[in-house]
Amino acid sequence: MNNTEVYILSGFLGSGKTTLLKRLLENERLLGRKTAVMMNELGKVSIDSEVARDEDVALKELLGGCICCSIQDKLEAQLQGLLLNEKPEVIYIETTGAAHPVEVLDAILSPLFADQFTIKGIVTTVDGLRWRDRKTLSPQVHQLLLEQVRHADFILVNKMDELSESEQSKIIFEIQGINSAARCLLTNYSQVSINELRKLTLSSFSKQSSADFSKKTLNLTTFVYQFQEPINHSDFEEFLKGLPERIYRIKGYIKFDTLSKPYLFQYSYGMPLYMKEEMNYPLNLVFIGENIDWSEIEEKLGKLEKDFKKQN
């Protein structure tokens, strides 16, 4: 069975995300693929969801909060429901303009079903005029714009026709200076070749399909490790101490004893957190990082499993 493709549409308010989503859905209709959309709005009423109203598109709305903080649990439940009931071939997730790409990935990748997803990439739309005038924005919004660009796999700079040629060149130069790995296009109304977006390389790495790290520059990527055995707790703590700083998040279920129930494990900003569970969950550990050779992480975790088996 093929994994469900996931595209994350990121970008600040009014930068062209919904227009891009509309184009993508028109293309999916032509392809005949089973499609789902998740739309996240900070308010109580969704303004944009009419673009996805179609009998062939499963639509889930997440209102009243941002995917990456206040409504994570709701998101997990809705994604699980989509996978079980709709079985889509592709899911488009349109985030709020205030969402940080790392936080969004963290919210999406529940260890309960992360191994069923292929994250195709983060497509970020940028309002060219807002980018040009970004120094006038508050420090928080300015920083968010930079983060949304830095973690993108594909960048569309909209409102090209309202920018002079020298402004266009300057914006491309600035954005490529922040993120040289992403494709960056100047557009109007998110007009982009959909085939170009489909070429986004997989930004995940798993035991089933290993990525050749040496041949491409990876930006923000994910990795799901599936444990077959428990591991030693103190050895795992040593493993955590040796992790690169560019691993931003880890979460999942992990066992330190053959007979006991697993722990829910979470790791953020270098801080580990363990919570004992009352049920057996799949022993998946989900990682999010930047420019990481996941094959090394996989090797170390595999060694932890083998060492535990030898000792017991």
Side-chain angles (χ1 to χ4, degrees):
M1 182 181 144
N2 291 333
N3 278 14
T4 299
E5 292 180 3
V6 177
Y7 290 85
I8 298 164
L9 308 185
S10 169
F12 201 67
L13 302 161
S15 60
K17 290 192 303 293
T18 303
T19 305
L20 175 61
L21 175 62
K22 197 172 180 181
R23 295 186 188 285
L24 287 162
L25 292 180
E26 284 167 3
N27 183 253
E28 291 296 355
R29 206 169 287 124
L30 291 173
L31 293 175
R33 292 206 297 179
K34 190 153 192 185
T35 306
V37 171
M38 302 202 75
M39 303 191 84
N40 182 204
E41 299 280 353
L42 287 172
K44 298 289 182 191
V45 180
S46 173
I47 307 300
D48 295 333
S49 57
E50 288 307 313
V51 302
R53 299 256 180 237
D54 187 290
E55 64 274 10
D56 298 326
V57 176
L59 173 67
K60 297 285 184 187
E61 294 174 288
L62 292 153
L63 304 177
C66 185
I67 266 180
C68 51
C69 34
S70 56
I71 52 173
Q72 271 214 35
D73 292 347
K74 189 177 174 187
L75 171 76
E76 185 174 297
Q78 292 208 358
L79 276 172
Q80 201 161 18
L82 271 179
L83 289 170
L84 284 171
N85 303 322
E86 307 291 342
K87 299 179 176 57
E89 293 169 78
V90 57
I91 300 175
Y92 292 99
I93 298 177
E94 184 184 334
T95 65
T96 70
H100 187 293
V102 174
E103 310 286 348
V104 172
L105 263 182
D106 184 42
I108 292 164
L109 292 173
S110 164
L112 296 175
F113 48 69
D115 56 339
Q116 297 175 53
F117 284 154
T118 294
I119 306 294
K120 288 289 283 180
I122 298 170
V123 183
T124 295
T125 53
V126 175
D127 179 322
L129 297 177
R130 184 178 273 121
W131 180 271
R132 183 194 64 187
D133 302 331
R134 67 191 182 284
K135 298 283 172 66
T136 64
L137 302 170
S138 72
Q140 294 88 343
V141 172
H142 185 189
Q143 187 58 35
L144 179 62
L145 283 181
L146 295 178
E147 291 292 301
Q148 288 176 340
V149 163
R150 188 162 80 88
H151 294 299
D153 298 299
F154 201 107
I155 300 164
L156 301 182
V157 183
N158 278 311
K159 303 188 181 175
M160 178 182 69
D161 55 1
E162 296 181 52
L163 297 161
S164 67
E165 281 190 24
S166 63
E167 286 173 333
Q168 291 173 20
S169 302
K170 187 169 185 279
I171 287 172
I172 288 285
F173 181 76
E174 289 169 344
I175 285 178
Q176 289 184 331
I178 295 165
N179 183 350
S180 59
R183 179 88 188 273
C184 182
L185 294 179
L186 289 163
T187 65
N188 290 311
Y189 305 104
S190 297
Q191 288 170 328
V192 60
S193 161
I194 301 299
N195 288 336
E196 289 300 309
L197 288 177
R198 300 276 179 243
K199 289 176 191 171
L200 276 175
T201 51
L202 305 185
S203 60
S204 59
F205 175 100
S206 68
K207 282 183 172 180
Q208 286 75 30
S209 60
S210 61
D212 185 349
F213 189 81
S214 62
K215 285 186 183 171
K216 59 183 178 181
T217 306
L218 300 177
N219 199 21
L220 197 62
T221 58
T222 65
F223 166 51
V224 182
Y225 187 87
Q226 296 168 300
F227 288 100
Q228 308 302 317
E229 307 283 344
I231 59 175
N232 181 278
H233 196 157
S234 57
D235 288 350
F236 183 63
E237 286 287 329
E238 285 302 311
F239 161 78
L240 293 176
K241 285 177 192 171
L243 288 176
E245 284 182 9
R246 295 184 319 279
I247 290 183
Y248 302 126
R249 297 281 194 280
I250 311 172
K251 62 181 176 183
Y253 298 99
I254 191 165
K255 272 190 177 185
F256 301 116
D257 185 322
T258 311
L259 301 174
S260 65
K261 297 287 189 292
Y263 284 87
L264 170 62
F265 173 73
Q266 298 197 55
Y267 174 95
S268 182
Y269 302 107
M271 294 292 292
L273 179 70
Y274 301 90
M275 290 175 63
K276 193 81 171 101
E277 291 291 346
E278 298 303 317
M279 290 175 60
N280 276 314
Y281 289 103
L283 300 178
N284 292 334
L285 209 54
V286 182
F287 293 75
I288 300 170
E290 189 173 22
N291 296 326
I292 303 292
D293 182 353
W294 295 118
S295 60
E296 286 184 14
I297 302 296
E298 181 185 39
E299 197 176 314
K300 286 177 181 176
L301 289 170
K303 187 175 184 305
L304 291 183
E305 286 193 275
K306 284 175 190 166
D307 289 348
F308 183 91
K309 207 168 182 182
K310 281 179 194 170
Q311 293 159 11
N312 295 270

